[in-house]
């Protein structure tokens, strides 16, 4: 296991942010860590990256106890933070070079800038960049040391759809290269698209942990949505896929009505999450 | 401790400081003030009266050697007269071949200056003529007003320069916490101790360089150089200790600046006491910076040696130890989870 967490617990004063959570992540796996704001995602990431020492439990990263030897772990991980934390008065290139220097490495910055499509802004100060561009610099920074594990906290937050897709493409490429990715997000579409497994965290507890498919199958609502033209407009009918009467009813509709569209209506991770917690992910 | 990482951290901090107007202003201000005070005050407040001379005489080299007067050469006789009339010179001497020198005395000059000028002239005349002195004049300034006004301003500037080192350090720490860049830095191989050490050394270096520049610009880097540097280091360490405490405890830059204003008054009080000799000088001894600036003045102006000021050094060292111990305690407390609480 590349990441192992056992009964991790952390509370801020009276508030229990992470409540005895345990999980593990395999090499080359993308684990989507989903939950609404304040669920304990960032606190968990902070404990896994050695920014906070767990008050209970332990975490091993690459087989090393993060609390006892964080610097050995830091050499081999990359962290992309949710909050923008670049040096505003340094240029994009200077920001990346400074972090490369801290790792004592000399990577090809031009190549890295090209990968995240930042070449045009390489010599612009970070403070002059838009939120989306800053996010891209932070993502590039997390790749600077060619890490074995990437901890990505909302990596596409604030990005336009094209940029977000480009970042997702890089995440997939990194996975193909055998990198392990711990992806924290509340974007269920993103988690669904990228993750091998997803963990739902709510009020500091992991409420479900499985592949997106399994979660949707186990807890989701499988249905067929039929849209029909009427004299006044359109009408819709939802047919449960697991109902034995559905095939007959579908045939019926096709024969008797002017069917405009038929779509399978798979359960989304959002719906699964709501079913499990009674809360929305965007909350 | 990795020296390479300390260097990279400092290099980055220098870049950030030089790209922020406020930081640049803080660094340039004491140097600019030194130059401005030199230009504006000149010999104002000095114990030696200014004597202007015009013409050629064998007396001039002898007058130049006299410590009791400050000799200035005028461009013309009219210029000499004008400067005396305007009180720029306390006295003027016009030398003309074949005629006895004419002594011009400003009505605005003080009685003690007139006496000093007269006595010095008599002394120099006697020396030149090889006449035996009936009376020997030895000018000795007594009382608290022994330093010229320009020199009395040096403590202010020294405190500013030391505080700039501390303030740059604390601003840098507060800014890193406020922008959360520290979080990103601390998930790289650099340790929290290395981050703090790099910033502390940068603050210390900056304070020392500025302090040295101030002393050089004010012609005060005289006397026991090593002793001056020792007190400069001890004084800057005190400021750096305060900077560390501020950098870790203050929430943001605005908070830091507000608190610094309050602390600044407390720190500058000894400089105020030294500036106005009429204020009882013992009052300054209740403030820590007194033990930083007073010994430096004593070394550079009075030629004090370690045996004269060792006790002030001991007190300053004790203050440094207390401040740095407190700073390290605050750092430890705030470094819960081996990181900064941000």
């Amino acid at each position: 296991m590349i990441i192992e967490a056992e009964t991790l617990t952390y509370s801020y004063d009276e508030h229990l942010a992470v409540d005895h959570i345990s999980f593990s992540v395999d090499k080359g796996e993308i684990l989507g860590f989903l939950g609404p704001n304040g669920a304990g995602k960032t606190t968990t990431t902070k404990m896994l990256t050695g920014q906070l020492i767990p008050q209970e439990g332990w975490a091993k990263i690459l087989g090393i106890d993060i609390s006892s030897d964080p610097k050995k772990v830091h050499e081999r991980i990359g962290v992309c933070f949710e909050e923008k934390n670049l040096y505003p008065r340094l240029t994009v290139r200077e920001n990346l070079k400074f972090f490369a220097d801290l790792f004592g490495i000399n990577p090809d910055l031009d190549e890295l800038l090209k990968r995240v499509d930042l070449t045009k802004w390489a010599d612009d100060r970070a403070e002059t960049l838009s939120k989306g561009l800053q996010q891209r610099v932070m993502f590039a920074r997390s790749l600077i040391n060619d890490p074995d594990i990437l901890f990505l906290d909302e990596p596409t937050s604030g990005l336009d759809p094209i940029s977000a897709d480009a970042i997702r493409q890089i995440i997939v490429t990194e996975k193909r290269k055998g990198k392990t990715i711990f992806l924290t997000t509340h974007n269920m579409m993103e988690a669904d698209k990228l993750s091998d497994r997803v963990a739902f965290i709510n009020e500091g507890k992991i409420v479900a942990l499985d592949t997106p498919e399994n979660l949707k199958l186990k807890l989701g609502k499988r249905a067929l949505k039929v849209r029909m033209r009427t004299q006044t407009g359109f009408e819709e009918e939802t047919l449960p896929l697991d109902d034995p009467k559905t095939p007959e009813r579908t045939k019926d509709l096709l024969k008797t009505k002017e069917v405009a569209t038929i779509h399978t209506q798979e359960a989304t991770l959002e719906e699964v999450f709501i079913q499990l917690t009674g809360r929305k992910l965007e909350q | 401790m990795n020296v390479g990482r300390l260097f990279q951290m400092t290099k980055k901090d220098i870049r950030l400081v030089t790209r922020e107007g406020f930081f640049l202003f803080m660094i340039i201000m004491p140097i600019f003030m030194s130059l401005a005070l030199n230009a504006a005050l000149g010999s104002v407040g000095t114990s030696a009266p200014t004597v202007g001379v015009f013409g050629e005489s064998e007396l001039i080299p002898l007058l130049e050697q006299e410590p009791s007067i400050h000799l200035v050469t005028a461009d013309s006789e009219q210029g000499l007269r004008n400067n005396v009339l305007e009180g720029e010179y306390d006295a003027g001497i016009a030398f003309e071949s074949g005629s006895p020198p004419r002594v011009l005395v400003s009505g605005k000059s003080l009685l003690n200056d007139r006496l000093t000028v007269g006595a010095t002239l008599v002394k120099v005349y006697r020396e030149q003529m090889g006449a035996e002195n009936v009376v020997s004049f030895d000018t000795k300034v007594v009382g608290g007003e022994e330093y010229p006004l320009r020199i009395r301003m040096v403590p202010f500037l020294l405190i500013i320069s030391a505080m700039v080192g501390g303030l740059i350090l604390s601003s840098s720490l507060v800014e890193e916490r406020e922008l959360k860049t520290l979080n990103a830095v601390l998930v790289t191989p650099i340790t929290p101790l290395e981050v703090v050490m790099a910033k502390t050394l940068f603050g210390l270096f900056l304070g020392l360089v500025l302090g040295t520049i101030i002393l050089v610009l004010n012609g005060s880097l005289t006397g026991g150089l090593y002793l001056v540097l020792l007190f400069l280091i001890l004084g800057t360490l005190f400021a750096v200790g305060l900077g560390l405490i501020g950098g870790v405890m203050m929430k943001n830059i605005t908070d830091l600046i507000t608190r610094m204003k309050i602390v600044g008054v407390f720190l500058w009080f000894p400089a105020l006491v030294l500036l106005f000799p009429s204020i009882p000088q013992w009052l300054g001894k209740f403030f820590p910076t007194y033990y930083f600036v007073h010994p430096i003045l004593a070394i550079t102006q009075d030629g004090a040696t370690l045996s004269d000021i060792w006790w002030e050094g001991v007190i300053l060292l004790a203050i440094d130890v207390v401040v740095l111990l407190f700073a390290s305690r605050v750092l430890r407390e705030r470094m819960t989870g081996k990181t900064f609480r941000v």
Side-chain angles (χ1 to χ4, degrees):
Chain A
M1 288 295 164
I2 293 287
I3 302 174
E4 285 175 274
E6 191 61 47
T7 58
L8 281 183
T9 306
Y10 200 90
S11 49
Y12 298 100
D13 301 322
E14 297 295 296
H15 172 64
L16 189 60
V18 175
D19 187 4
H20 299 85
I21 63 169
S22 302
F23 61 91
S24 59
V25 187
D26 258 336
K27 183 174 163 50
E29 187 183 10
I30 299 181
L31 179 75
F33 209 59
L34 271 90
N37 292 334
K41 301 189 300 283
T42 303
T43 304
T44 305
T45 310
K46 280 187 172 180
M47 284 192 279
L48 293 176
T49 53
Q51 297 175 74
L52 288 174
I53 290 185
Q55 288 156 348
E56 268 182 63
W58 51 263
K60 279 186 183 174
I61 309 295
L62 298 152
I64 306 159
D65 187 331
I66 182 72
S67 303
S68 55
D69 201 352
K71 290 298 145 191
K72 209 167 170 186
V73 172
H74 290 159
E75 282 174 10
R76 295 172 62 188
I77 65 169
V79 184
C80 181
F81 294 83
E82 184 184 5
E83 289 170 303
K84 308 287 170 287
N85 59 357
L86 296 168
Y87 288 102
R89 298 192 296 283
L90 293 188
T91 66
V92 170
R93 190 187 296 277
E94 284 168 346
N95 262 290
L96 296 178
K97 177 79 172 67
F98 168 60
F99 280 87
D101 289 338
L102 289 184
F103 281 102
I105 52 171
N106 192 17
D108 185 345
L109 291 182
D110 290 326
E111 178 57 34
L112 183 60
L113 288 164
K114 206 169 145 191
R115 272 185 85 189
V116 289
D117 197 17
L118 277 171
T119 309
K120 204 171 128 189
W121 294 276
D123 298 314
D124 288 0
R125 283 194 189 183
E127 64 192 351
T128 64
L129 303 180
S130 68
K131 210 175 152 192
L133 286 175
Q134 287 190 29
Q135 183 67 36
R136 275 197 255 167
V137 183
M138 293 197 342
F139 184 71
R141 186 176 67 186
S142 68
L143 297 172
I144 200 118
N145 57 330
D146 192 21
D148 294 325
I149 308 174
L150 271 168
F151 289 90
L152 307 175
D153 198 350
E154 309 283 356
T156 57
S157 147
L159 292 183
D160 59 272
I162 296 168
S163 303
D165 243 19
I167 297 285
R168 284 182 200 122
Q169 203 50 55
I170 297 172
I171 294 174
V172 171
T173 311
E174 290 300 308
K175 175 191 157 61
R176 280 196 198 122
K177 280 158 73 181
K179 306 293 169 71
T180 306
I181 295 157
F182 187 84
L183 175 69
T184 306
T185 181
H186 62 248
N187 181 337
M188 51 91 193
M189 295 270 282
E190 184 169 274
D192 197 357
K193 214 167 168 182
L194 296 173
S195 311
D196 296 306
R197 286 186 304 151
V198 290
F200 285 146
I201 184 165
N202 186 44
E203 291 172 354
K205 287 189 168 117
I206 290 182
V207 290
L209 172 59
D210 210 333
T211 63
E213 275 314 306
N214 281 348
L215 284 172
K216 286 186 279 188
L217 280 173
K218 268 190 257 174
L219 301 159
K221 187 175 68 179
R222 287 162 15 94
L224 202 65
K225 193 185 261 181
V226 186
R227 200 158 188 250
M228 296 150 292
R229 230 182 269 278
T230 62
Q231 281 178 340
T232 52
F234 288 94
E235 72 174 70
E236 276 182 5
E237 193 171 328
T238 305
L239 307 167
L241 274 180
D242 302 322
D243 186 344
K245 290 177 188 162
T246 296
E248 203 52 43
R249 177 66 186 146
T250 315
K251 254 189 214 172
D252 223 32
L253 288 174
L254 285 165
K255 264 186 199 169
T256 57
K257 305 269 183 179
E258 192 187 339
V259 175
T261 57
I262 301 179
H263 291 292
T264 51
Q265 198 190 16
E266 284 174 345
T268 63
L269 283 179
E270 173 90 40
E271 284 163 346
V272 174
F273 187 83
I274 293 168
Q275 209 176 322
L276 283 167
T277 65
R279 291 176 76 184
K280 277 189 172 183
L281 275 168
E282 299 287 343
Q283 275 177 343
Chain B
M1 194 75 64
N2 182 308
V3 180
R5 286 197 291 260
L6 291 188
F7 173 71
Q8 295 304 338
M9 195 76 196
T10 308
K11 199 168 94 179
K12 182 264 301 169
D13 280 341
I14 292 171
R15 269 200 184 126
L16 289 175
V17 163
T18 52
R19 289 177 189 178
E20 173 62 55
F22 174 65
F23 292 144
L24 271 182
F25 169 74
M26 283 201 299
I27 294 169
I28 293 167
M29 182 187 56
I31 298 172
F32 176 76
M33 277 176 74
S34 270
L35 294 170
L37 284 171
N38 267 318
L41 296 176
S43 64
V44 174
T46 61
S47 54
T50 305
V51 177
V53 288
F54 177 71
E56 285 178 13
S57 167
E58 290 169 346
L59 283 176
I60 294 176
L62 292 172
L63 284 169
E64 273 172 348
Q65 287 168 18
E66 280 303 315
S68 55
I69 61 166
H70 175 61
L71 202 72
V72 183
T73 308
D75 297 334
S76 62
E77 192 171 347
Q78 191 54 46
L80 178 76
R81 189 175 291 275
N82 290 344
N83 279 338
V84 170
L85 284 172
E86 285 163 14
E88 192 79 11
Y89 303 155
D90 296 295
I93 311 168
F95 295 102
E96 208 173 309
S97 58
S99 312
R102 281 195 305 283
V103 178
L104 313 166
V105 179
S106 163
K108 291 175 185 171
S109 64
L110 300 171
L111 179 61
N112 62 339
D113 287 343
R114 292 186 201 181
L115 282 171
T116 308
V117 171
T120 309
L121 272 173
V122 171
K123 183 189 171 198
V124 169
Y125 256 112
R126 283 185 183 282
E127 270 178 27
Q128 198 235 354
M129 290 168 71
E132 202 177 312
N133 277 349
V134 181
V135 178
S136 80
F137 293 98
D138 183 14
T139 313
K140 195 159 197 170
V141 183
V142 290
E145 297 185 50
E146 57 200 274
Y147 306 129
L149 186 56
R150 186 169 55 82
I151 295 300
R152 276 185 271 139
M153 289 299 290
V154 171
F156 262 111
L157 299 172
L158 277 179
I159 292 173
I160 291 177
S161 61
M163 291 320 293
V164 165
L167 196 57
I168 294 272
L169 156 66
S170 51
S171 310
S172 170
L173 264 175
V174 169
E175 192 183 34
E176 294 241 26
R177 284 172 46 231
E178 213 177 345
L179 297 172
K180 301 198 186 292
T181 45
L182 206 51
N183 287 352
V185 165
L186 290 175
V187 290
T188 70
I190 195 165
T191 64
L193 183 66
E194 284 171 342
V195 172
V196 171
M197 192 56 83
K199 289 183 184 293
T200 304
L201 290 175
F202 178 47
L204 191 65
F205 174 76
L206 201 62
L208 285 177
V209 168
L210 272 179
T212 310
I213 292 172
I214 298 301
L215 289 173
V216 169
L217 287 179
N218 288 285
S220 298
L221 204 58
T222 54
L225 193 62
Y226 291 114
L227 213 49
V228 172
L229 284 177
L230 175 72
F231 276 92
L232 207 54
I233 291 170
L234 289 177
T236 313
L237 261 179
F238 166 71
V240 160
L242 288 187
L244 271 177
I245 296 167
V248 175
M249 292 183 82
M250 296 302 114
K251 281 181 201 151
N252 48 47
I253 294 282
T254 318
D255 196 18
L256 178 76
I257 302 291
T258 312
R259 306 288 173 106
M260 280 305 288
K261 282 180 194 163
I262 300 163
V263 176
V265 175
F266 174 74
L267 298 175
W268 271 315
F269 189 78
L272 207 68
V273 168
L274 288 164
L275 183 66
F276 298 106
S278 52
I279 299 175
Q281 295 294 293
W282 56 266
L283 275 176
K285 293 180 184 175
F286 291 104
F287 297 85
T289 38
Y290 176 86
Y291 301 96
F292 163 40
V293 290
H294 183 261
I296 290 181
L297 274 191
I299 301 161
T300 58
Q301 301 304 311
D302 302 334
T305 58
L306 188 60
S307 59
D308 302 315
I309 48 167
W310 66 269
W311 62 275
E312 289 181 317
V314 170
I315 293 175
L316 185 56
L317 186 65
I319 293 169
D320 280 356
V321 169
V322 170
V323 169
L324 290 171
L325 278 177
F326 183 67
S328 73
R329 191 185 152 184
V330 171
L331 275 170
R332 259 202 317 275
E333 277 175 8
R334 299 277 167 156
M335 286 162 77
T336 311
K338 291 181 185 169
T339 184
F340 287 91
R341 218 184 273 162
V342 288

